[in-house]
Amino acid sequence: MAAISHILGGEDRVREIDTSVPHSARIWNYWLGGKDYYPVDRAAGDEFCKVYPGIVDDARAFRAFLARAVGYLVGEAGIHQFLDVGTGLPTVDNTHEIAQRIAPTARIVYVDNDPLVLAHARALLTSVPEGVTDFIDADLHEPQEILEIAANTLDTTRPIALILSGILGHIEDDDEANSIVKRLVDGLASGSYLMLQDATTASRANAEALKRYNNSGAVPYVLRDAETIADFFAGLDLVEPGVVPIHQWRPPAPTADGAAVAVNGVGGVGRKT
């Protein structure tokens, strides 16, 4: 198997994993039914659910949107290169698994700087023999560094799909968040895509649960309204149906169970001309 198991961007850095405060990636893993979390994360996740029980549906819907968007990008848009920034802990149907099922030669670069994510990267972020999967230990605040290191794996003269899935809330300032997105997109070739999704301020229960989470000592996460999230796509040609609630973006055919559950999150896909 031609899996790439090294961390790009210099010497591997071993950092201590803090198990005394909850961490969003580990809590997300807990909500998705994973096993890579600590008691403090489970406790925080359960407290969040008491205030906003819909968060588990949200987590699953975010994952489902990622799968549909990546499927579109590979199968319809013909994109075979992905830069997934803030990937979080590996679960089921990671970006490389979805992409390489459709196009085995797809090349994927993941970016994160969480020590627990890094600890799992070698074992879990593997590739089919025809493709490549790499991992960058880098910070979202340094978009130029991300682009420069990603160029070791991705052909930056050809279209790349940039994925920002539930990550921009860690950038508290709107202007800085917009600047980071713009700098990343500006570094991509024409014909590249931005796939972005995030939770919104629409749910009061979610906002209250997040306020309590932010007061726990964890790294803060901010919510934005749908219009502000849509602004991240400025200058891009939106793929139909645009920036919409994620359960409404090219949903699968209805099943016998009825319509999809409404969730608190919006997302979309935009093309750079």
Side-chain angles (χ1 to χ4, degrees):
M1 177 175 289
I4 305 298
S5 59
H6 60 279
I7 308 301
L8 296 176
E11 253 180 58
D12 290 2
R13 296 185 285 256
V14 178
R15 296 192 295 271
E16 183 179 353
I17 297 172
D18 187 352
T19 63
S20 66
V21 296
H23 188 284
S24 61
R26 301 193 305 249
I27 296 172
W28 204 255
N29 183 268
Y30 170 60
W31 286 331
L32 287 170
K35 300 177 181 179
D36 299 313
Y37 56 85
Y38 295 99
V40 66
D41 307 306
R42 181 174 59 200
D46 289 343
E47 284 301 312
F48 202 109
C49 287
K50 288 179 183 177
V51 180
Y52 178 53
I55 189 61
V56 174
D57 288 330
D58 287 2
R60 293 170 179 167
F62 270 68
R63 206 70 191 171
F65 173 80
L66 173 70
R68 296 197 305 277
V70 172
Y72 163 81
L73 289 164
V74 181
E76 296 187 42
I79 301 296
H80 290 184
Q81 301 190 105
F82 291 82
L83 180 58
D84 189 338
V85 182
T87 179
L89 286 164
T91 55
V92 177
D93 269 352
N94 301 288
T95 298
H96 71 284
E97 294 170 323
I98 302 164
Q100 291 177 349
R101 276 201 297 266
I102 304 170
T105 59
R107 304 171 75 86
I108 294 87
V109 171
Y110 291 99
V111 182
D112 212 301
N113 70 338
D114 177 73
L116 186 63
V117 176
L118 296 174
H120 286 77
R122 294 183 185 279
L124 298 180
L125 297 180
T126 58
S127 171
V128 298
E130 301 91 336
V132 173
T133 302
D134 268 337
F135 199 102
I136 297 175
D137 177 3
D139 194 305
L140 179 60
H141 292 85
E142 302 294 340
Q144 191 58 42
E145 179 187 19
I146 290 171
L147 292 169
E148 290 174 359
I149 302 174
N152 292 318
T153 300
L154 306 178
D155 181 355
T156 56
T157 68
R158 299 180 61 81
I160 295 170
L162 169 65
I163 296 178
L164 298 172
S165 182
I167 186 65
L168 286 177
H170 286 303
I171 309 297
E172 296 185 63
D173 182 77
D174 287 350
D175 290 339
E176 184 182 7
N178 273 291
S179 174
I180 288 171
V181 174
K182 185 177 187 304
R183 290 160 67 190
L184 286 170
V185 172
D186 284 350
L188 305 179
S190 295
S192 293
Y193 286 81
L194 168 64
M195 186 235 99
L196 185 150
Q197 61 175 335
D198 222 323
T200 75
T201 55
S203 167
R204 291 183 180 179
N206 185 38
E208 176 60 28
L210 190 58
K211 179 181 178 181
R212 298 186 187 187
Y213 167 79
N214 289 343
N215 289 334
S216 70
V219 176
Y221 201 94
V222 300
L223 297 174
R224 295 181 167 94
D225 59 37
E227 292 77 14
T228 302
I229 294 173
D231 287 343
F232 290 127
F233 290 91
L236 302 179
D237 293 336
L238 288 172
V239 174
E240 290 294 333
V243 181
V244 297
I246 53 177
H247 62 285
Q248 296 177 6
W249 196 91
R250 300 188 171 221
T255 65
D257 297 330
V261 175
V263 296
N264 181 50
V266 299
V269 175
R271 183 178 185 273
K272 179 180 178 179
T273 55

